[in-house]
Amino acid sequence: MDKFKTVLNIANKQGRFGPGLVALVTAGGEQIFSSVAFRCPCNELNFFYGMVFLLVPALALLLLGFILSKRTWKLVTGLWHRGGKLCRWKTLMSACMALFHITATALVAPSSWVAVALLNGNYYECAMTGANLSAYNLHVCQGKLPEEQCKQELFMLPCEKSAQQSGKEEVLRTMRAHSQILGWLLIAVIMLSNLLLICMARCMSPMSYQQQRFWKAYAEEENDLMDSYTTKHAKEFAERNLESFFKQTPPEDIVTPSNKDWERISTLYKFSTRDHYYSTLHQHVETKDQEADFGVRMTSVHST
């Protein structure tokens, strides 16, 4: 998981080439996995065995994409206590948009796995030779194998690729061709959907192209510095407490953000040209003094 997280972090820093890097790593992993671990049983388990190898790793990659996404945990952490706020229309729409973006990013690896596995054809061959689909079986065997032989021996074909029977080899080639057609169609659908989503997002964006590049660069730098500052501050805070405990001395004063401050900078942020803030941290830093002055004025009004 740590290695996959490292790949995701590198991919996120590669901008528009990030999804391509994740897809490339996933494709390489599928090739290795297929050659090392996959062995079609050539019995009644063919269909389930092939479908498990085709879909279960994709599901695992999808869940891993959700788990390793910081946006996922920003969205769900404290959700129980923020349930009332989610009832607001704007907040609910922002949450749905964030979930859609997280899902779209997490789908890169599993869709790459399925596409490459279909192009390879091994999983599809194994699954469909064990599928109880009479019409499909007769279709692939038509003109190549007798009907009775097709019904009784089809599940054995993946284990007989070296056999000198041209009919069996033709059946497997037909299945492999079907698998590769599905693989290329899936790739085409993914690329077309990705293009349409990017075009829609860019057309509806309130920012210009250069400002959007600046916002993305700022967000990456802020994220890296946040990790560095958090680790450094946590270390200083821990050292202060341990020194006070072992030396039995009063602790030094170290300013730590309040729970409210942490909550405000931990929410997902949607850029608005009206406020012109680039993150929740930026918004908090710019408005904190204004809120403090407003609180002082309200206190003075009530006291008078």
Side-chain angles (χ1 to χ4, degrees), residues 217-287:
Y218 169 81
E220 292 175 357
E221 290 296 331
E222 182 187 276
N223 185 58
D224 293 341
L225 290 174
M226 174 63 76
D227 292 340
S228 176
Y229 270 72
T230 300
T231 302
K232 180 181 177 181
H233 189 78
K235 182 179 180 181
E236 293 176 354
F237 196 52
E239 289 178 348
R240 191 282 305 256
N241 293 336
L242 287 171
E243 184 177 0
S244 176
F245 174 75
F246 282 106
K247 293 183 178 180
Q248 295 296 301
T249 57
E252 299 178 1
D253 291 334
I254 294 183
V255 179
T256 300
S258 65
N259 292 340
K260 185 178 180 180
D261 292 337
W262 284 114
E263 182 179 354
R264 290 190 60 184
I265 69 167
S266 297
T267 57
L268 293 172
Y269 182 72
K270 182 179 180 182
F271 183 84
S272 173
T273 54
R274 182 185 63 182
D275 299 327
H276 199 69
Y277 301 124
Y278 289 99
S279 68
T280 51
L281 178 63
H282 183 200
Q283 183 181 26
H284 175 68
V285 171
E286 295 287 349
T287 60

Side-chain angles (χ1 to χ4, degrees), residues 15-300:
R16 57 183 177 178
F17 301 107
L21 179 60
V22 174
L24 184 63
V25 173
T26 304
E30 191 281 330
Q31 291 294 317
I32 297 174
F33 193 74
S34 175
S35 61
V36 173
F38 182 77
R39 295 292 183 274
C40 189
C42 297
N43 54 36
E44 65 277 1
L45 292 176
N46 278 18
F47 178 75
F48 296 101
Y49 188 81
M51 295 305 292
V52 163
F53 271 76
L54 180 64
L55 299 179
V56 172
L59 177 61
L61 288 172
L62 176 63
L63 297 177
L64 193 61
F66 279 109
I67 292 172
L68 297 180
S69 174
K70 291 183 178 180
R71 293 173 64 90
T72 301
W73 304 118
K74 277 191 174 183
L75 182 63
V76 303
T77 301
L79 186 63
W80 181 267
H81 300 285
R82 293 184 284 114
K85 297 180 180 179
L86 287 177
C87 296
R88 301 173 184 174
W89 176 250
K90 289 185 178 181
T91 305
L92 184 61
M93 285 297 296
S94 298
C96 290
M97 290 298 296
L99 182 61
F100 177 79
H101 184 272
I102 295 168
T103 304
T105 305
L107 279 172
V108 173
S111 59
S112 301
W113 175 279
V114 175
V116 173
L118 288 173
L119 291 177
N120 190 13
N122 291 337
Y123 304 152
Y124 183 88
E125 283 181 4
C126 184
M128 297 312 293
T129 53
N132 189 19
L133 301 173
S134 300
Y136 179 80
N137 295 344
L138 293 176
H139 170 70
V140 296
C141 293
Q142 186 176 9
K144 306 176 185 70
L145 292 176
E147 182 175 336
E148 288 299 322
Q149 186 180 6
C150 182
K151 292 180 180 179
Q152 297 176 4
E153 300 181 10
L154 187 63
F155 64 87
M156 289 296 299
L157 295 189
C159 297
E160 298 179 358
K161 292 184 179 181
S162 60
Q164 299 299 320
Q165 298 188 31
S166 59
K168 294 182 179 181
E169 289 295 331
E170 290 179 9
V171 171
L172 290 177
R173 281 200 297 269
T174 301
M175 289 187 173
R176 184 178 293 270
H178 292 169
S179 177
Q180 292 174 341
I181 289 172
L182 290 175
W184 282 116
L185 288 176
L186 178 60
I187 291 174
V189 170
I190 292 172
M191 297 299 292
L192 181 60
S193 301
N194 190 36
L195 176 61
L196 291 176
L197 289 174
I198 292 176
C199 289
M200 288 179 59
R202 293 298 176 92
C203 290
M204 299 174 63
S205 175
M207 293 180 288
S208 63
Y209 175 74
Q210 292 295 342
Q211 188 180 16
Q212 196 169 41
R213 290 187 62 187
F214 171 78
W215 182 26
K216 189 168 185 178
Y218 169 81
E220 292 175 357
E221 290 296 331
E222 182 187 276
N223 185 58
D224 293 341
L225 290 174
M226 174 63 76
D227 292 340
S228 176
Y229 270 72
T230 300
T231 302
K232 180 181 177 181
H233 189 78
K235 182 179 180 181
E236 293 176 354
F237 196 52
E239 289 178 348
R240 191 282 305 256
N241 293 336
L242 287 171
E243 184 177 0
S244 176
F245 174 75
F246 282 106
K247 293 183 178 180
Q248 295 296 301
T249 57
E252 299 178 1
D253 291 334
I254 294 183
V255 179
T256 300
S258 65
N259 292 340
K260 185 178 180 180
D261 292 337
W262 284 114
E263 182 179 354
R264 290 190 60 184
I265 69 167
S266 297
T267 57
L268 293 172
Y269 182 72
K270 182 179 180 182
F271 183 84
S272 173
T273 54
R274 182 185 63 182
D275 299 327
H276 199 69
Y277 301 124
Y278 289 99
S279 68
T280 51
L281 178 63
H282 183 200
Q283 183 181 26
H284 175 68
V285 171
E286 295 287 349
T287 60
K288 187 174 182 180
D289 293 337
Q290 299 175 10
E291 292 180 355
D293 293 340
F294 179 77
V296 172
R297 290 198 300 268
M298 291 299 295
T299 302
S300 62

